[in-house]
Amino acid sequence: MYTSNFTNLILNVDSYKASHWLQYPKGTEYISYYIEARRGEFDVVMFGLQAFIKEYLLNPISQQDIDDAEIVLKAHGLPFHKEGWQHLLDKHQGYLPLKIEAVPEGTVLPVGNVVCQITNTDPNFFWLVGYLETALLRAIWYPSTVASLSYLCKKQIKQALIKSADDLSSLDFQLHDFGARGASSLETVALGGLAHLVNFKGTDSVSALLAAKRWYNVNEMPAFSIPAAEHSTITAWGKEREVNAYQNMVEQFAGEGKLYSVVSDSYDLWNALEHIWGEQLKDMVIEKSGRLVIRPDSGNPIEIVCKTLEILAEKFGYRLNRKGYKVLPDYLRIIQGDGINPKSLPQILDAIMEKGFSVENVNFGMGGGLLQQVNRDTMSWAMKASAICINGQWQEIYKDPITSQSKRSKKGVLALVKSENNWETIKLSELNGQTNQLQTVFLNGELCFEENLTEIRLRSEAYSL
């Protein structure tokens, strides 16, 4: 009987991969594959490869892994390359004879460019490169897509702040990750939540904090949150004691330098804004100091956010910043966490400014739209073979389906070059002294260098938003 070890790399695979070692031409020695986002509406932020390498590739294949895989795959109806895996264990002590090159994590570049390339370093293991596709492609497409989506939102918010705020001091905290409960798994939260932290410093996904330390050498706290109410902690007081529920939040969490959030739409949002916050508790909020962040939550986000701002400005007053936009008192802000996605966000930002308010008044939260409403097709991620060496001769290979030109793949061993803000994927043979932006990250079982989250953040920030 086999063990149920989810970290067994031989079983971290699509079933049909187990038969591919029998399908390559005789004399095959080396194969080169590459990964790219083939198309999409926004730029790529490369992220997640180091997490995968540290979690899965630095541990050697064991005899137990081979034995388990043989039982599972044969019973599953597939041929098992027992001789090949055994040779890997005997010759390389279970470490993978592979070279993985990639663009540095946090790099921002257009879709349609190679971000990762992998080939074998021992001709006996040409079949291993394609075998890794399932795990490696998934390890890159998901966190890179979340990082890219988060980066797009940061770009949208930054442009609105440049127009409506005196400075960008609030930017790093204006999109908060609310996605933990809506994600498909703990690893999804860890990877996706961490990918968001490439761009922002606000999260409620605690798993992302652990992932930052585990995979990206973070010793200091990489992101922050604040005490916040949910509907159950408000409705527990009953509708007739709604004011007491809010008063308790102020008493428990207000104070100099403190921030706290209170969801305020459990019943009648407009009554809560106008009469409870704006009248009954107004003096208390001001006297206790700190910052109250009101969460309106449900409803059409454009209507809800704008009307909330207008009521709060009427009740608490406002100042005009240097750009002529209204700013609520420093002790008061709002956060909208419902209906936020890359399509709705710019519409909400525009509506806020059309009403005369600075975007600095509003923070946003994204849940499923950030961590879960993405898939491999969001940016058309693919890993394809582009070159093969047979009997000492390299040749280009590619796919060019007549029925789908968008799936045409690249040819040859590739390189990535950059001039100013222009990126281009070329053949390695055409490099001609240019710097190849693909760096060797993994070689024969070893991580060639480690990056930390701070370096990755600085890299992404260096690109023009």
Side-chain angles (χ1 to χ4, degrees), residues 52-117:
F52 174 72
I53 291 173
K54 293 181 76 171
E55 190 70 17
Y56 296 101
L57 300 191
L58 299 187
N59 300 312
I61 300 297
S62 69
Q63 187 65 56
Q64 186 69 58
D65 292 334
I66 296 172
D67 294 344
D68 286 349
E70 181 179 22
I71 295 171
V72 171
L73 294 175
K74 282 187 174 181
H76 189 46
L78 296 164
F80 180 64
H81 195 15
K82 176 77 175 282
E83 180 182 350
W85 289 107
Q86 198 69 52
H87 188 42
L88 176 72
L89 179 61
D90 296 340
K91 185 176 182 180
H92 296 286
Q93 293 75 54
Y95 291 100
L96 306 186
L98 298 173
K99 180 174 76 169
I100 300 177
E101 303 170 285
V103 67
E105 299 196 34
T107 299
V108 182
L109 70 164
V111 295
N113 284 293
V114 56
V115 298
C116 180
Q117 187 166 239

Side-chain angles (χ1 to χ4, degrees), residues 242-255:
E242 183 180 9
V243 64
N244 301 103
Y246 298 156
Q247 181 177 339
N248 179 66
M249 288 296 296
V250 180
E251 291 173 343
Q252 295 288 346
F253 301 112

Side-chain angles (χ1 to χ4, degrees), residues 198-433:
V198 171
N199 306 298
F200 290 94
K201 296 180 180 179
T203 186
D204 261 32
S205 293
V206 175
S207 302
L209 310 178
L210 307 182
K213 184 175 181 62
R214 182 180 182 90
W215 296 321
Y216 287 92
N217 306 309
V218 172
N219 293 317
E220 298 181 356
M221 181 52 59
F224 304 89
S225 188
I226 62 175
E230 68 173 22
H231 288 105
S232 70
T233 64
I234 300 301
T235 58
W237 294 75
K239 186 175 182 179
E240 69 283 355
R241 292 202 296 162
E242 183 180 9
V243 64
N244 301 103
Y246 298 156
Q247 181 177 339
N248 179 66
M249 288 296 296
V250 180
E251 291 173 343
Q252 295 288 346
F253 301 112
E256 186 67 31
K258 296 181 179 180
L259 292 81
Y260 58 106
S261 173
V262 185
V263 63
S264 301
D265 73 330
S266 295
Y267 308 109
D268 183 343
L269 172 64
W270 312 127
N271 177 70
L273 295 173
E274 292 184 17
H275 301 298
I276 300 179
W277 289 120
E279 295 173 358
Q280 294 172 267
L281 298 179
K282 177 179 178 179
D283 291 341
M284 183 181 187
V285 168
I286 297 172
E287 291 170 4
K288 290 284 188 178
S289 73
R291 175 174 289 178
L292 164 65
V293 183
I294 293 176
R295 179 158 69 97
D297 204 39
S298 309
N300 181 303
I302 293 177
E303 173 189 345
I304 298 300
V305 169
C306 290
K307 188 171 180 180
T308 297
L309 285 171
E310 291 175 328
I311 293 173
L312 293 179
E314 178 184 351
K315 292 294 184 177
F316 289 88
Y318 61 87
R319 64 177 176 84
L320 293 179
N321 64 21
R322 293 194 298 271
K323 294 182 179 176
Y325 287 87
K326 300 174 186 177
V327 181
L328 295 173
D330 288 344
Y331 56 78
L332 188 62
R333 291 291 184 267
I334 73 171
I335 184 167
Q336 175 64 29
D338 186 55
I340 305 301
N341 58 60
K343 299 293 186 183
S344 67
L345 183 57
Q347 299 173 355
I348 300 168
L349 295 170
D350 287 343
I352 291 169
M353 292 184 290
E354 287 173 4
K355 292 293 184 179
F357 288 91
S358 172
V359 168
E360 67 193 279
N361 291 294
V362 186
N363 290 355
F364 300 93
M366 284 182 70
L370 180 65
L371 300 190
Q372 198 64 37
Q373 292 172 17
V374 299
N375 56 48
R376 188 164 70 90
D377 292 334
T378 302
M379 304 183 77
S380 190
W381 285 92
M383 178 172 165
K384 297 298 177 185
S386 59
I388 189 169
C389 181
I390 303 175
N391 295 323
Q393 297 295 317
W394 279 97
Q395 54 188 279
E396 299 173 354
I397 57 176
Y398 62 98
K399 62 178 287 188
D400 189 10
I402 193 172
T403 52
S404 181
Q405 292 298 297
S406 65
K407 291 191 174 182
R408 178 186 297 169
S409 64
K410 292 176 166 53
K411 306 175 183 179
V413 179
L414 303 175
L416 180 68
V417 296
K418 180 178 182 291
S419 57
E420 296 183 356
N421 291 323
N422 183 51
W423 294 85
E424 185 180 5
T425 298
I426 62 174
K427 297 173 185 177
L428 184 64
S429 59
E430 299 171 351
L431 200 55
N432 295 327

Side-chain angles (χ1 to χ4, degrees), residues 119-190:
T119 188
N120 55 299
T121 58
D122 182 331
N124 291 309
F125 299 95
F126 64 88
W127 50 270
L128 185 59
V129 184
Y131 196 94
L132 206 62
E133 177 187 354
T134 305
L136 181 60
L137 178 59
R138 183 178 58 222
I140 289 177
W141 83 252
Y142 175 68
S144 293
T145 300
V146 174
S148 303
L149 181 67
S150 174
Y151 183 86
L152 172 65
C153 293
K154 188 172 186 178
K155 181 177 180 179
Q156 294 168 340
I157 296 171
K158 181 176 180 180
Q159 290 172 341
L161 285 174
I162 289 173
K163 180 178 179 181
S164 68
D166 290 339
D167 56 53
L168 301 176
S169 59
S170 62
L171 178 59
D172 284 349
F173 292 94
Q174 281 198 256
L175 186 64
H176 202 86
D177 172 13
F178 285 164
R181 72 186 62 185
S184 59
S185 70
L186 177 62
E187 189 174 59
T188 301
V189 177

Side-chain angles (χ1 to χ4, degrees), residues 449-465:
F449 58 88
E450 289 194 55
E451 295 200 272
N452 60 55
L453 183 61
T454 299
E455 294 168 342
I456 293 169
R457 281 172 162 172
L458 291 173
R459 187 173 292 124
S460 69
E461 289 174 0
Y463 292 90
S464 174
L465 287 171

